[in-house]
Amino acid sequence: MEYVVEVKNLTHYYGKKLVYENLNFNIKKGSIFGLLGKNGTGKTTTINILNGFLKPTEGHCLMFGEDSYKLSPKTKARVGFLIEGHIQYSFMNILQIEKFYSQFYPNWRKEPYWELMAKLKVTEDQKISKMSCGQRSQVALGLLLAQNPDLLILDDYSMGLDAGYRRLFIDYLSEYAKAEGKTIFITSHIIQDLENFLDDCVIIDYNSVLVTMPIKEFQEKFKQYKFDTPNSELTLQKNDVVRNFENIKGHASIYTFSELYEVEEHLKKINVPYNNLRLESMTLEDAFIGITGKY
Amino acid sequence: MHLLELQENIKMYKAIVYKEWLKVRWAYLAMFVLIILILTYIWLMLSKQMEFNDAKALWGVIIFRKYKFFNDIQYIPLLIGTVIGTVQYAPETSQSRLKLTLHLPVKENKILMQMLLTGFLLIAVLYAVITIYLTAITSSYFPREIVYDMLTTILPWLLGGTAAYFTCAAVFVEPVWSRRIVLLIFSIAFLSLLYIEGDHSFSSILLLTILTFLFPFWSLLTGYHFKRGIQ
């Protein structure tokens, strides 16, 4: 198996504050990998480590076999990088920025960039600083596609974007990158758009790694069981069976990787009064909220 | 180095120059206009003095009382270095935009040095304009010795502007505030040496020049701090 990115035993602290420990994952060539987590769980930290902008406390990352701490210019040319918030050189206009970047990348193809700019209906001398967040996202995406990299690293592409621009972003990624077998590493805290887009994922929470698996496997194995209970104050400890628990006025939900009979056995074992225990279908977003919790 | 690789490197450096120019161009033009106005004012004032006073008496005042007819330009190189450094580096470091630059397929130290070299060459052109204009004014009225005195007087000012530019670059790139403050205190102390009244000897000017051109290494260090996310 050829891996484009290998993350091994990654642990990071900011001072004494633990971000996460022992994060491990590999990104297969041509796959779309999502690093998912709520705000502040360490997604951007991981991206910064991956791009060599942060030295991890422990562990290491390899990108195309090179230590991310000291990437060669050749490897950097193979990596397209979207900074959180679609940050670009805002003092340039859309013509200047295309002219600037095109000088650095041998595989530069300007067509997708100008195709996206045509959709924005902006003039060539439109300064990026005068654009809306949605328009800036299209400039950043157009530049990435024009760079034509083998690996795209997209840090919270959804930040500040309304539903239309988020969809447009994913559609273009699918059209240009997925169709051409590019590897994509994407982080997001908005999950709904990624449902049919991701191949593999890691879900991280504050200080911990919750899930590392193919997205289809996660959707198949992670379940929500609902039941009614007379105890409206019921709380359950998290363990191997109960990955998360909610109880709103006696309407309870268990989020779990276990089967129905295992959940039933567990409830009986801890003497929880329940009735109408049933499997509830979930979208990817429901499953994400289920495993990370609402708070 | 292969010819193709050299061509690629030149192409990339030209792109860096283009980016830096886009950031500084309006401030740069403003600085250019400012120095032309001030130098022209100095020239007009001097020609007026020469017209209404005895030229020999004025020479005497310049030689014995150390009168500097070009004193109005004293802090202009400092202003140029600070303004150009700020408009060049502030947009890079706001919202960590420098990450975009450091992600370009060029070695990080090389690209930081290219940015610094571009800014330095730009301010050097303005300093050359000041020097040539003042030399032309001075030599049109005074003998070679006074021209030499003028040049040795303005050289520390030009070094001060250069050091201020390098300081701005280092301070903006440095991610840690406490280090920024230390850097600023050190730079202000160094600048005050350059602005001490009185004659600088050849050896002191040489030493100050060497020290000024050690400042870029500080930029490399702050660039390293930025790159490694040191907090």
Side-chain angles (χ1 to χ4, degrees), chain A residues 14 48 51-55 69 73 76-77 79 81 83 87-92 96 99-101 103-105, chain B residues 11-12 15-16 18-19 22-23 25 91 95 97 99-108 224 227-229 231:
Chain A
Y14 285 118
N48 282 337
N51 277 307
F53 291 123
L54 193 61
K55 193 179 179 189
Y69 195 62
K76 285 200 281 184
V79 181
F81 179 33
I83 297 183
I87 304 300
Q88 267 304 339
Y89 296 116
S90 54
F91 48 86
M92 293 186 184
Q96 290 164 341
K99 185 177 164 189
F100 170 71
Y101 276 112
Q103 304 303 304
F104 290 91
Y105 298 101
Chain B
K11 196 168 91 169
M12 289 184 200
I16 294 291
Y18 177 63
K19 172 168 78 75
L22 287 176
K23 281 184 284 184
R25 56 188 168 163
Q95 298 182 296
R97 212 164 263 123
K99 283 182 185 174
L100 293 170
T101 304
L102 295 179
H103 185 70
L104 292 168
V106 182
K107 283 183 178 160
E108 286 109 19
Y224 174 81
K227 179 74 178 40
R228 297 300 174 232
Q231 298 194 341

Side-chain angles (χ1 to χ4, degrees), chain B residues 25-136:
Chain B
R25 56 188 168 163
W26 299 119
Y28 192 78
L29 291 175
M31 290 296 117
F32 181 76
V33 170
L34 180 72
I35 58 173
I36 294 300
L37 288 176
I38 291 177
L39 290 167
T40 307
Y41 171 77
I42 289 169
W43 177 39
L44 290 174
M45 290 306 287
L46 184 65
S47 63
K48 205 170 161 189
Q49 281 175 326
M50 295 300 275
E51 197 179 327
F52 293 106
N53 297 305
D54 175 32
K56 280 181 184 171
L58 192 57
W59 286 21
V61 173
I62 289 169
I63 293 165
F64 298 114
R65 292 194 192 163
K66 301 288 174 196
Y67 168 64
K68 296 184 202 111
F69 62 91
F70 49 87
N71 209 35
D72 289 330
I73 204 82
Q74 186 174 11
Y75 292 103
I76 298 302
L78 191 69
L79 179 75
I80 290 170
T82 309
V83 168
I84 299 301
T86 303
V87 296
Q88 189 185 353
Y89 282 91
E92 290 282 344
T93 50
S94 89
Q95 298 182 296
S96 295
R97 212 164 263 123
L98 192 60
K99 283 182 185 174
L100 293 170
T101 304
L102 295 179
H103 185 70
L104 292 168
V106 182
K107 283 183 178 160
E108 286 109 19
N109 284 345
K110 188 174 171 185
I111 211 162
L112 286 171
M113 284 294 106
Q114 286 178 340
M115 286 170 66
L116 212 56
L117 178 67
T118 306
F120 168 69
L121 290 176
L122 284 170
I123 61 169
V125 169
L126 293 182
Y127 294 168
V129 171
I130 292 173
T131 309
I132 292 165
Y133 202 141
L134 274 181
T135 304

Side-chain angles (χ1 to χ4, degrees), chain B residues 180-198:
Chain B
R180 282 181 172 174
I181 291 164
V182 170
L183 222 161
L184 271 174
I185 292 169
F186 179 85
S187 299
I188 289 166
F190 179 70
L191 287 176
S192 64
L193 282 179
L194 294 166
Y195 283 90
I196 287 172
E197 286 290 325

Side-chain angles (χ1 to χ4, degrees), chain A residues 180-194:
Chain A
E180 293 179 12
K182 308 285 187 192
T183 308
I184 301 176
F185 179 51
I186 193 164
T187 75
S188 184
H189 63 282
I190 297 179
I191 311 300
Q192 68 211 48
D193 307 326
L194 302 177

